[in-house]
Amino acid sequence: VTVYAFSIENFKRSPAEVETLMTLAADKLIELAARKGFLDHHGIRVRVLGDLSLLPEHVQRAAANAMRLSRHHVNVTLNICMAYTSREEL
């Protein structure tokens, strides 16, 4: 499953809006990691894709933690695309 959460184009929003969205993203990634038992039980691997260096440090840490906790799971993969656009891949 792939979720397109925050494209690079979204950085053009107002600084207040971007900050709010980044806080929301970090909160949800932390919440996801806190449900480690659920991830383990269902074998869900979390991957956060994109140019993570563009994200604030607190979002990078939350993403890294969620990925670390679930890195060995193989049943389902949840791809969360952040700071991503297909144009960057061309």
Side-chain angles (χ1 to χ4, degrees), residues 4 6-8 13-14 16 19 29 32 34 36-37 42 48 52 63 65 67 71-73 78 82 84-87:
Y4 295 90
F6 191 88
S7 76
I8 288 177
R13 294 172 179 256
S14 73
E19 182 178 340
L29 287 164
L32 191 60
K36 184 180 182 316
H42 294 286
V48 182
L52 303 186
N65 188 48
M67 290 189 289
R71 70 183 175 271
H72 298 296
H73 298 158
L78 172 61
M82 297 187 70
Y84 179 85
T85 181
S86 60
R87 291 180 193 169

Side-chain angles (χ1 to χ4, degrees), residues 13-68:
R13 294 172 179 256
S14 73
E17 227 178 336
V18 172
E19 182 178 340
T20 298
L21 292 169
M22 290 295 114
T23 299
L24 178 63
D27 290 348
K28 293 303 175 184
L29 287 164
I30 291 166
E31 183 180 321
L32 191 60
R35 299 195 62 192
K36 184 180 182 316
F38 180 85
L39 298 174
D40 291 346
H41 177 75
H42 294 286
I44 300 170
R45 179 180 178 194
V46 177
R47 296 187 332 152
V48 182
L49 307 171
D51 187 351
L52 303 186
S53 70
L54 297 176
L55 301 174
E57 184 67 30
H58 70 286
V59 179
Q60 290 181 38
R61 282 192 308 270
N65 188 48
M67 290 189 289
R68 182 184 56 77

